[in-house]
Amino acid sequence: MTIGITTLIGCKTNEPKTDLIGIWESYETHHTPVVLTFYKDSVITESFGGEMRTNSKWYVDGSKICLKQIILKDTILKDVLNYQYKLNNTKDTLWIKVENGNADDYSTMKKVGENPFTTKL
């Protein structure tokens, strides 16, 4: 009986994480444009026209996106960074805010088909 319950729990899909996979582009004017590319096990964050690029592992914990080991080139910039997040009903607009951050530490992002920074190169 315990094995069956463990199997059911272990096989549960992570729907919120699946909803985030893809390319998201910020469109606010209060900060530098940012692109997040969520893959199954990692996320790439790009800003400053694609000149700054970090990579990290990620997972979803309730209403938080949790990034672990944020790496710029070969340097770990931060061990953990959490964002509060919400998706709209059609799951094509993402609102994220740095947990415990300043009031302007947020982004509203649209899901896009390609990274706008790589098309400019």
Side-chain angles (χ1 to χ4, degrees), residues 10-77:
C11 293
K12 182 179 175 186
T13 61
N14 191 346
E15 187 175 322
K17 187 171 181 176
T18 303
D19 291 338
L20 293 169
I21 292 175
I23 303 169
W24 298 86
E25 178 182 6
S26 68
Y27 58 84
E28 269 99 16
T29 58
H30 71 275
H31 61 73
T32 303
V34 174
V35 172
L36 298 176
T37 305
F38 288 94
Y39 298 96
K40 182 178 177 182
D41 296 321
S42 65
V43 63
I44 305 268
T45 305
E46 295 179 86
S47 59
F48 298 106
E51 292 180 25
M52 182 174 172
R53 180 180 177 142
T54 63
N55 189 355
S56 58
K57 298 188 182 303
W58 72 289
Y59 62 94
V60 173
D61 183 6
S63 62
K64 293 192 295 189
I65 298 171
C66 306
L67 306 183
K68 295 180 357 180
Q69 295 183 333
I70 301 163
I71 299 171
L72 175 65
K73 298 185 182 180
D74 294 331
T75 304
I76 296 177
L77 296 178

